[in-house]
Amino acid sequence: MYSHAILELLTVLPEEVIEENVVNVLVDSDRRWHFRQELLSHVDIVLDFLLHQAKVEIALKSEMHEKHRKVLRGLLSWVRVGCFLEIPQSSLPSHPLLGFVFDSLLVPILFDLAIEVLIELVNRHEVLPQTLLLRMEWFEEALLLPAIDLKNDHAVGGLACLFSEIGQSAPMLIAAGSREAFILTDAVLRCLTYSKHDLEIADSTLNFWCTIIEFILGLNNKGEKEEAVSAFIPVFTVLLDALFCKAMVSDYSAQELDGTGHLPDDLLGFRRNLEELLTNICCFLGPREFLMKVLNGPWTTLDSELSLAMVEVRLFTLNTVAVVLENEQHLDFSIILQLITAMRTTHIDVSSKLLHLVHKSAAEVVGSFSKLLCSSTTVVLPVLSFLASGMQIPIAASSSAIALRKLCEEVPFLADDESNLKGLLWIGQGLHDMGLTLNEEADVVSAIGTVLALISNEELLNVSLNQLLEPSYKAIEALLKLDIDDSMKQNPAVYSATLEAAVRAVTRLGLILRHLSVANKPYKSSESPILNVLCLFWPMLENLLASHHMKHSSLAAAVCRSLSFIIQASGQQFLPLLSEVMVALCRNFTSVQASEYFIRTATVCLEEFGDKEELGSIFIRTLNSFTEAEIILSMNSSYACDQDPDIVEAYMGFTSMFISCCPKNVIAAAASLVEISFKKATIWCTAMHRGAGLSALSYMMCLLEAGTSCLLAPIAATQELSVGDLCLRICVECGESAICGVIYALLGVSAMTRVHKAATVLQQLAAICHLSENTNWKLKLGWRALQAWLTNVVHALPSEYLRPGEAEQLIPSWLKAMESASSDYFHKIASSGDLKADCGRSLKRVVREFADSHRHTAPSFTFM
């Protein structure tokens, strides 16, 4: 009885110092180390006690087995704490307790604990893998083969784990190619192929094979490497066949394919874990040998579910090792083309789910090897037809769409063949009937756009575009014919379908134009393809912008994105429409729905045409409309800003672009709007939303940089002086607010991401104050003014925001850093002429330290 209590105590004590078992974090590592040393000082006594208890004979077998379990549990704890490290390692293989563990493997109730002990020993002692390897014949004959015959999953699984650990701990012993090493590989293969439906055991062996391959391929001695590769090629050839069988969709798995034909979770997980091993085997056997092995299957005899499953697992394998094979030249993939032809032309009387799964895998292979598969124009059309049929199968649609995009990107001569082009256009015209997701449709449209952008024949391109986009025009016209109120009341389902079709149509148009823009080819005639599309599309777009349908955010987003692509694609050709577009964008933002999409599209217009002085009045009116919008006017706190952060980002992006792109006299003419925007930015930079806060800081930086550059210009023109004066006036009015906003931004959420921009704003303010020392602005904007602003802001902070005495230290240290940063600013400009000077290191350091020290202490706040 006492021995049972001692065994329990001996089991628990080591667990107190095993790192992964430590629960009491209050006990530091030093104390645990000393306790471990104290335990290990008694190793000899403990091991003698455990051995004595293992030898004690008990008449009742069940009691003896229970006692032996306790001995094994105690031994496991002491192995984990390092008990056998205290004895000579050469004596470990012959230690009596190891013999006890081997004997316990033959007792079913002790088997799992004995396996755990051996795995721990293998991981901790270099001599153990050799010891166990020498006993592999016994392991296989006495334990593994009987377990397989009896279908003992538990025993086979335990042995698989042990064998895998031996290989991973000492791959050099396996690579040496001894008789015992091949007995081990044979045993692991038996574990892998055990039970048709048990993937867990097979999964536990995968790292064993990966380790052996990586070790052999990593050998530095060329002779040793060649010898090992030669010896193990038969092993890995057999392994590859075994993996095909294991990863294949079996009858059992086929029954579990869900409604869309997806693989069951266990097979999906096994395949995911298998990817590294298949890639390693490909490298080991060599790409050509590996490909030959994979392609040796029933590729065109698709008359049974078994043959289909064998083809599907090989397709999966090809796609998995694509990264290795794609750089190989002259690989023969004709069998894949034969498979594609057979699937298109042959009636296959098997489960549709399995057939669809094969279609999906074949489409993935087409995507991975499109360049090798389609080496001539004659094979492209059958592939296009195959992918088009795949887009109508839910499980294969995404793979087919991606494969089409890759094919069009990697096979440039596709556009040279008229039949191939017709096939592509046929796919594009039928998109509205395929039921693809938006992402799938985007892949298809991008594929077609890539090919159209390569067409040099202007007439052919015009015809192709008209043919491709005709269904899109019809879908948009169908929506425009509907009265939104009546349609929603009478038949909401029809209206929703019509709206969705129009959204997709507008999106397709935009994507096509984006690809034509990337091509950016000069055309001989005055009516370029882009202009032709614009002439047809703009009236519809204009009507959409003026309709009540724009209250739907999905349509608004699609229209604005497409409009942005049109502007970028058409360039100067869009100029006559600019005024109408800006009016429509402003009207929709202020009257229909306050969406960031309208502002972002206006920003694209500003980026394209903002440098034209004659268009300044248009952009000033646009800025005024956005600034006077109710939603912008109402955002007077960080809380309000966080309710619509996307609009804040878009508006700040527009104002930053206005400062960056517009001529100086246009900026000066919008002085009041620029000032209002700056005041908003001093509030919005404190928002919790990271993007909104950063965009506000960016606008502040942009305006201060523009003002500083004007003030530093060697020969300042009248408009530059106006912008410089505007910047000075804004600093007088908002300097203290800017510093206040920056400090609150550094006290808020995601403060560390704002450090650089915040420090730059402070540096720019310091530089402007420095410049003002010798001007009429000195009293309002000199160094004393900066000192007063910082002092007022710091003293106005709630007491809980700063530590005791921090305010008295912060003000002088920040002022010193800002003075140094302003000097750095002017020094860099003087030496390099770069007006985008980096903020001073000392200022950036104090700002970062301030933000870092308050990350977990500053309370939440609403800044107004």
Side-chain angles (χ1 to χ4, degrees):
M1 183 174 178
Y2 293 118
S3 62
H4 286 294
I6 295 173
L7 284 171
E8 288 294 337
L9 184 62
L10 289 176
T11 301
V12 172
L13 283 176
E15 291 179 353
E16 294 297 314
V17 295
I18 299 171
E19 290 295 333
E20 57 266 28
N21 292 340
V22 172
V23 177
N24 189 358
V25 294
L26 296 178
V27 179
D28 60 38
S29 57
D30 285 342
R31 289 184 63 188
R32 285 200 299 272
W33 183 85
H34 284 296
F35 183 51
R36 179 193 295 267
Q37 298 309 115
E38 179 67 22
L39 285 175
L40 293 177
S41 67
H42 300 285
V43 159
D44 291 339
I45 298 172
V46 170
L47 293 181
D48 287 343
F49 177 77
L50 291 175
L51 182 60
H52 174 73
Q53 293 300 315
K55 290 180 178 179
V56 171
E57 294 287 340
I58 301 177
L60 198 59
K61 256 189 180 180
S62 60
E63 290 184 5
M64 184 175 70
H65 289 161
E66 183 58 33
K67 185 162 192 174
H68 285 177
R69 279 188 66 83
K70 292 180 184 294
V71 172
L72 286 169
R73 283 181 58 226
L75 179 59
L76 180 60
S77 291
W78 281 82
V79 168
R80 285 174 175 166
V81 88
C83 67
F84 283 118
L85 294 172
E86 303 300 309
I87 66 173
Q89 292 300 286
S90 58
S91 66
L92 181 56
S94 58
H95 198 285
L97 276 174
L98 190 59
F100 167 69
V101 174
F102 284 134
D103 293 339
S104 298
L105 289 170
L106 298 169
V107 181
I109 196 172
L110 305 179
F111 178 84
D112 55 343
L113 279 171
I115 287 288
E116 279 194 73
V117 172
L118 288 175
I119 288 175
E120 286 292 335
L121 287 169
V122 166
N123 283 327
R124 294 170 185 275
H125 302 276
E126 293 182 2
V127 298
L128 251 296
Q130 176 72 55
T131 302
L132 297 183
L133 191 62
L134 292 173
R135 301 195 62 161
M136 271 311 304
E137 192 168 358
W138 175 81
F139 272 110
E140 189 171 44
E141 293 180 0
L143 296 171
L144 181 60
L145 294 179
I148 291 174
D149 290 340
L150 294 171
K151 293 183 170 49
N152 187 339
D153 296 0
H154 183 70
V156 175
L159 290 168
C161 289
L162 175 61
F163 297 158
S164 295
E165 288 295 334
I166 294 171
Q168 290 176 77
S169 297
M172 71 292 296
L173 297 177
I174 316 304
S178 64
R179 174 176 172 272
E180 290 80 11
F182 286 116
I183 293 175
L184 175 61
T185 58
D186 178 70
V188 178
L189 265 173
R190 289 177 185 275
C191 293
L192 186 145
T193 55
Y194 169 78
S195 178
K196 199 174 181 180
H197 308 305
D198 193 327
L199 294 174
E200 188 176 346
I201 294 174
D203 207 353
S204 68
T205 68
L206 300 184
N207 285 335
F208 169 87
W209 302 109
C210 285
T211 303
I212 304 306
I213 292 177
E214 288 167 5
F215 179 83
I216 293 175
L217 293 180
L219 287 172
N220 294 322
N221 186 297
K222 186 178 179 181
E224 288 182 6
K225 183 176 180 179
E226 290 177 351
E227 186 178 345
V229 168
S230 177
F232 277 87
I233 278 179
V235 174
F236 289 110
T237 302
V238 173
L239 172 63
L240 188 58
D241 285 330
L243 292 175
F244 286 155
C245 293
K246 207 67 185 178
M248 190 168 63
V249 178
S250 63
D251 297 339
Y252 173 77
S253 299
Q255 295 171 8
E256 287 198 345
L257 292 175
D258 62 23
T260 58
H262 287 99
L263 294 173
D265 290 342
D266 58 344
L267 182 56
L268 194 64
F270 178 69
R271 285 191 174 189
R272 194 178 296 118
N273 296 336
L274 192 57
E275 291 174 1
E276 182 184 1
L277 177 55
L278 288 174
T279 303
N280 285 344
I281 295 175
C282 181
C283 294
F284 188 89
L285 298 179
R288 293 185 181 280
E289 187 67 30
F290 183 87
L291 185 63
M292 191 183 304
K293 185 74 179 170
V294 174
L295 295 181
N296 182 24
W299 288 94
T300 55
T301 312
L302 307 177
D303 54 358
S304 69
E305 291 199 356
L306 176 61
S307 60
L308 267 179
M310 291 172 69
V311 166
E312 193 278 330
V313 76
R314 282 167 165 76
L315 289 169
F316 155 74
T317 302
L318 281 176
N319 192 53
T320 298
V321 301
V323 67
V324 179
L325 296 179
E326 64 185 1
N327 295 322
E328 292 292 318
Q329 300 296 320
H330 311 300
L331 295 178
D332 184 8
F333 280 93
S334 57
I335 194 73
I336 305 296
L337 295 173
Q338 293 176 36
L339 169 69
I340 288 172
T341 302
M343 292 187 68
R344 286 176 50 248
T345 59
T346 308
H347 175 69
I348 305 172
D349 188 20
V350 296
S351 164
S352 60
K353 290 181 181 179
L354 187 54
L355 187 60
H356 292 169
L357 189 63
V358 174
H359 209 125
K360 170 183 178 291
S361 299
E364 290 172 348
V365 169
V366 170
S368 297
F369 300 99
S370 54
K371 192 181 294 185
L372 291 169
L373 280 168
C374 301
S375 55
S376 68
T377 56
T378 56
V379 302
V380 173
L381 193 58
V383 173
L384 289 178
S385 177
F386 173 76
L387 295 178
S389 62
M391 290 174 203
Q392 300 172 56
I393 301 172
I395 189 176
S398 179
S399 300
S400 299
I402 292 171
L404 181 65
R405 175 174 54 77
K406 290 181 178 179
L407 176 68
C408 292
E409 290 171 352
E410 296 181 4
V411 184
F413 59 76
L414 194 150
D416 299 337
D417 187 274
E418 186 179 351
S419 59
N420 292 338
L421 183 59
K422 284 183 178 178
L424 262 183
L425 294 175
W426 176 78
I427 292 174
Q429 286 178 292
L431 273 177
H432 60 286
D433 293 325
M434 288 186 182
L436 301 178
T437 66
L438 287 173
N439 287 337
E440 291 163 357
E441 196 166 289
D443 280 322
V444 176
V445 175
S446 294
I448 299 170
T450 300
V451 173
L452 293 180
L454 297 173
I455 296 177
S456 55
N457 185 313
E458 186 177 332
E459 182 180 353
L460 177 60
L461 181 54
N462 276 322
V463 171
S464 300
L465 283 171
N466 289 335
Q467 184 180 340
L468 174 67
L469 298 178
E470 185 180 0
S472 296
Y473 296 147
K474 289 180 178 178
I476 297 169
E477 288 172 346
L479 179 66
L480 289 171
K481 289 177 182 177
L482 292 180
D483 180 271
I484 186 169
D485 294 325
D486 290 343
S487 299
M488 288 291 286
K489 290 176 183 176
Q490 294 175 7
N491 200 332
V494 171
Y495 179 76
S496 296
T498 307
L499 176 66
E500 173 69 12
V503 168
R504 289 177 177 246
V506 172
T507 302
R508 287 197 290 271
L509 279 160
L511 287 172
I512 289 294
L513 286 169
R514 181 175 67 174
H515 280 84
L516 295 181
S517 170
V518 170
N520 197 23
K521 292 177 181 173
Y523 294 98
K524 295 178 181 178
S525 69
S526 58
E527 292 193 1
S528 69
I530 291 177
L531 190 58
N532 282 336
V533 173
L534 187 59
C535 291
L536 287 169
F537 186 34
W538 171 248
M540 300 178 191
L541 205 56
E542 187 178 25
N543 290 332
L544 278 177
L545 285 166
S547 72
H548 291 298
H549 301 294
M550 290 296 289
K551 73 178 185 179
H552 296 284
S553 58
S554 60
L555 181 63
V559 167
C560 289
R561 272 197 301 268
S562 293
L563 190 52
S564 297
F565 293 147
I566 291 172
I567 294 163
Q568 292 165 338
S570 54
Q572 298 302 310
Q573 296 169 334
F574 192 82
L575 201 53
L577 302 175
L578 181 65
S579 180
E580 295 176 55
V581 169
M582 298 303 267
V583 169
L585 293 172
C586 292
R587 183 181 64 248
N588 275 278
F589 182 76
T590 56
S591 304
V592 180
Q593 64 162 317
S595 170
E596 71 275 9
Y597 307 123
F598 302 112
I599 304 180
R600 294 193 194 282
T601 301
T603 305
V604 172
C605 293
L606 188 53
E607 186 177 15
E608 289 289 323
F609 307 110
D611 60 333
K612 299 184 181 300
E613 189 173 336
E614 64 272 19
L615 301 177
S617 59
I618 294 176
F619 295 121
I620 291 174
R621 285 199 301 271
T622 304
L623 177 59
N624 182 68
S625 295
F626 291 151
T627 304
E628 294 296 323
E630 183 180 350
I631 190 167
I632 299 294
L633 290 174
S634 64
M635 285 190 191
N636 295 317
S637 68
S638 58
Y639 175 80
C641 173
D642 283 320
Q643 303 310 299
D644 289 292
D646 292 333
I647 290 179
V648 171
E649 276 193 76
Y651 177 79
M652 289 283 92
F654 182 85
T655 52
S656 295
M657 191 64 69
F658 183 84
I659 300 298
S660 299
C661 291
C662 289
K664 298 293 189 291
N665 59 337
V666 175
I667 298 173
S672 61
L673 297 173
V674 172
E675 183 175 347
I676 290 171
S677 301
F678 192 88
K679 288 179 179 177
K680 293 286 186 184
T682 63
I683 298 172
W684 294 350
C685 71
T686 67
M688 292 177 67
H689 188 275
R690 181 171 172 265
L694 289 173
S695 66
L697 287 169
S698 294
Y699 172 64
M700 294 164 70
M701 287 169 54
C702 191
L703 178 58
L704 293 172
E705 181 188 313
T708 309
S709 66
C710 289
L711 294 170
L712 289 171
I715 303 176
T718 304
Q719 60 265 33
E720 289 175 328
L721 289 173
S722 298
V723 172
D725 286 345
L726 170 62
C727 183
L728 293 173
R729 188 167 70 250
I730 288 176
C731 286
V732 170
E733 293 292 328
C734 309
E736 185 171 329
S737 299
I739 291 178
C740 186
V742 165
I743 289 180
Y744 272 94
L746 296 171
L747 287 168
V749 177
S750 66
M752 297 304 292
T753 63
R754 310 184 196 200
V755 164
H756 177 74
K757 290 183 185 292
T760 303
V761 169
L762 293 174
Q763 181 191 32
Q764 290 169 327
L765 283 172
I768 289 172
C769 289
H770 181 87
L771 282 171
S772 304
E773 282 293 315
N774 299 319
T775 68
N776 295 332
W777 294 89
K778 177 178 179 179
L779 293 178
K780 294 181 178 180
L781 200 57
W783 200 255
R784 288 187 177 179
L786 180 66
Q787 183 177 357
W789 295 340
L790 181 61
T791 302
N792 292 342
V793 169
V794 172
H795 286 158
L797 287 172
S799 58
E800 64 269 22
Y801 283 23
L802 299 178
R803 295 184 295 275
E806 185 178 5
E808 288 71 21
Q809 297 175 359
L810 186 149
I811 294 171
S813 66
W814 277 42
L815 283 172
K816 181 180 179 181
M818 288 167 76
E819 183 176 12
S820 174
S822 67
S823 299
D824 291 347
Y825 192 82
F826 294 121
H827 175 72
K828 182 169 183 183
I829 292 172
S831 61
S832 66
D834 182 9
L835 292 173
K836 295 184 177 179
D838 294 330
C839 60
R841 292 181 181 178
S842 59
L843 178 58
K844 194 170 183 178
R845 188 186 68 252
V846 298
V847 169
R848 182 188 291 110
E849 289 173 353
F850 176 78
D852 190 39
S853 64
H854 290 277
R855 271 200 289 184
H856 306 296
T857 57
S860 59
F861 60 83
T862 298
F863 183 71
M864 302 181 66

